[in-house]
């Protein structure tokens, strides 16, 4: 196995990366700065992604809107009480967090970084929403602190991107990754496994594509159904099937085997609060799912990167 992997942890977990980078445990403080998306407001489409309700994954979108400064203060207070932590990343999570003029973004990012315990930025966005002037701004922050730019790829297959109403294709991701090079940013790609019409080979093609690109990290989600979304109606009509847990364990282990071993794994599953989640209910028990993934990798005597080209 690659250096740093163990029998108990056969992939490069984000928690390990943060400990190595900062010498301590670091936690993300989620921020909702009130952004929208270009496939919501009509710029490229309307209605948003078929699976998305930002309230289901962004805690701050379920609360009365407050300033970025107050969200940071409140988030740190909660995490300190729960984990006794003292270092944090400001995570701009909900919607598209580069979808505004650079002057507005700078004000919001500066407000988050003003707290002395914030040691870096994580910015969630779309690959079609990172023009060069915004990348120039983000590069300035990366000169003296950790910055992770999270790009929503979801899949390399354009037919699936059309199905989910993304409003962009895989070439937008390739373009964004290329323009991010040399700027000191960590790039994290978001991926969804279990999209309708995608075979095991299709999903592994996405893994292989990522392994061949200068992307530093991956955030893996299982497709799941959230209330009051177009996907919920598709699911009710039998047009979209969710993985059983054992199926997902198999495919996520396959996916890990095809990623480079040095790529950081930010997460291995997606979920939503119980009052938002429709299916599959097994993703609510994240500890059990992670144990099943670890057990499957051990059963295979496998690890992240085992089937990448340079490992074969």
């Amino acid at each position: 196995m690659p250096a740093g992997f163990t029998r108990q942890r056969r992939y490069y977990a984000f928690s390990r990366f943060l400990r190595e980078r900062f010498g301590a445990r670091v936690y993300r403080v989620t921020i909702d700065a009130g952004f929208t998306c270009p496939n919501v407001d009509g710029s490229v489409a309307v209605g948003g992604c078929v699976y998305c309700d930002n309230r289901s994954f962004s805690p701050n979108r379920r609360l009365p809107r407050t300033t970025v400064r107050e969200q940071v203060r409140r988030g740190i207070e909660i995490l300190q009480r729960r984990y006794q932590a003292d270092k944090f990343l400001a995570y701009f999570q909900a919607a598209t967090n580069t979808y505004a003029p650079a002057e507005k973004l700078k004000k919001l990012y500066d407000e988050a970084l003003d707290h002395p315990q914030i040691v870096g930025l994580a910015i969630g966005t779309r690959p079609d929403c990172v023009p060069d002037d915004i990348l120039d701004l983000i590069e300035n922050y990366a000169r003296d602190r950790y910055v992770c730019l999270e790009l929503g790829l979801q899949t390399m297959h354009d037919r699936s991107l059309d199905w989910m109403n993304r409003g962009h294709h895989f070439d937008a991701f390739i373009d964004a990754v290329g323009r991010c090079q040399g700027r000191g940013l960590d790039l994290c790609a978001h991926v969804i496994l279990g999209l309708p019409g995608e075979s095991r080979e299709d999903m592994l093609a996405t893994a292989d594509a990522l392994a061949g690109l200068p992307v530093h990290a991956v955030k893996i989600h299982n497709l799941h159904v959230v209330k009051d979304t177009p996907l919920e109606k598709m699911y009710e009509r039998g047009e979209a099937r969710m993985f059983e847990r054992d199926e997902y364990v198999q495919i996520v282990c396959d996916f890990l085997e095809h990623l480079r071993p040095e790529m950081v794994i930010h997460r291995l599953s997606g979920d939503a609060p119980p009052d938002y989640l429709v299916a599959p209910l097994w993703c609510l028990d994240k500890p059990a799912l992670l144990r099943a993934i670890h057990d499957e990798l051990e059963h295979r005597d496998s690890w992240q990167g085992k089937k990448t080209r340079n490992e074969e």
Side-chain angles (χ1 to χ4, degrees):
M1 281 189 290
F5 288 14
T6 66
R7 286 185 59 197
Q8 290 73 37
R9 186 58 65 88
R10 293 169 176 258
Y11 59 89
Y12 192 0
F14 190 41
S15 56
R16 174 188 147 201
F17 166 81
L18 291 173
R19 285 195 303 271
E20 292 172 348
R21 174 73 185 245
F22 294 101
R25 298 198 68 155
V26 179
Y27 293 86
R28 284 172 288 198
V29 176
T30 60
I31 296 167
D32 179 356
F35 293 107
T36 185
C37 300
N39 64 339
V40 172
D41 68 7
S43 296
V44 298
V46 294
C49 299
V50 298
Y51 50 76
C52 188
D53 180 339
N54 274 282
R55 294 173 302 171
S56 71
F57 62 82
S58 175
N60 285 314
R61 193 148 286 200
R62 301 192 293 271
L63 299 170
R65 180 69 50 79
T66 60
T67 65
V68 167
R69 182 171 283 103
E70 174 59 21
Q71 290 179 57
V72 169
R73 185 202 65 78
R74 182 178 61 204
I76 286 177
E77 182 180 280
I78 291 169
L79 291 167
Q80 280 184 318
R81 191 162 58 241
R82 187 177 302 166
Y83 301 113
Q84 292 75 54
D86 61 7
K87 292 183 178 181
F88 304 91
L89 300 178
Y91 182 21
F92 285 83
Q93 181 184 30
T96 302
N97 292 277
T98 58
Y99 191 40
E103 318 83 71
K104 178 179 179 180
L105 295 175
K106 184 177 187 304
K107 179 178 179 296
L108 294 168
Y109 298 160
D110 285 350
E111 193 174 337
L113 290 166
D114 190 50
H115 195 288
Q117 289 173 280
I118 295 292
V119 296
L121 279 173
I123 302 168
T125 189
R126 294 163 50 102
D128 59 343
C129 290
V130 284
D132 288 341
D133 66 319
I134 302 302
L135 291 179
D136 291 343
L137 170 68
I138 297 171
E139 179 182 356
N140 285 333
Y141 292 109
R143 289 174 179 164
D144 58 2
R145 60 178 57 80
Y146 172 76
V147 177
C148 180
L149 188 64
E150 299 190 6
L151 297 174
L153 167 62
Q154 319 311 351
T155 174
M156 69 168 290
H157 302 288
D158 289 347
R159 68 182 188 277
S160 296
L161 293 169
D162 289 342
W163 169 83
M164 69 180 72
N165 195 40
R166 282 293 287 182
H168 68 76
H169 283 163
F170 182 48
D171 58 355
F173 183 80
I174 298 292
D175 172 69
V177 169
R179 289 185 296 103
C180 285
Q181 297 312 297
R183 295 179 180 270
L185 311 177
D186 267 19
L187 292 182
C188 176
H190 287 215
V191 171
I192 298 175
L193 301 181
L195 295 169
E198 289 207 2
S199 65
R200 174 180 179 275
E201 290 69 28
D202 290 331
M203 289 178 265
L204 296 185
T206 295
D208 291 336
L210 285 173
L213 290 169
V215 172
H216 306 92
V218 182
K219 185 175 280 191
I220 305 170
H221 305 77
N222 54 287
L223 184 66
H224 56 280
V225 183
V226 172
K227 291 178 180 177
D228 300 324
T229 60
L231 181 57
E232 182 185 23
K233 295 181 175 61
M234 296 178 194
Y235 179 71
E236 290 172 347
R237 294 193 299 262
E239 298 170 4
R241 173 184 173 274
M242 299 300 111
F243 276 135
E244 299 294 336
R245 195 187 79 168
D246 289 348
E247 291 178 289
Y248 184 70
V249 168
Q250 293 295 319
I251 192 61
V252 80
C253 289
D254 294 342
F255 198 91
L256 287 170
E257 290 174 338
H258 284 249
L259 297 176
R260 299 192 316 274
E262 71 273 15
M263 297 176 86
V264 181
I265 307 303
H266 281 217
R267 67 184 301 153
L268 284 171
S269 67
D271 55 26
D275 53 336
Y276 283 86
L277 183 69
V278 175
L281 297 181
W282 54 257
C283 66
L284 291 173
D285 191 348
K286 185 176 290 187
L289 176 61
L290 291 177
R291 284 195 301 271
I293 293 169
H294 298 161
D295 290 348
E296 176 60 23
L297 288 171
E298 185 169 11
H299 174 72
R300 298 182 185 191
D301 190 24
S302 191
W303 52 85
Q304 177 187 334
K306 188 174 184 180
K307 294 186 178 178
T308 52
R309 291 184 179 90
N310 61 336
E311 293 283 319
E312 290 175 340

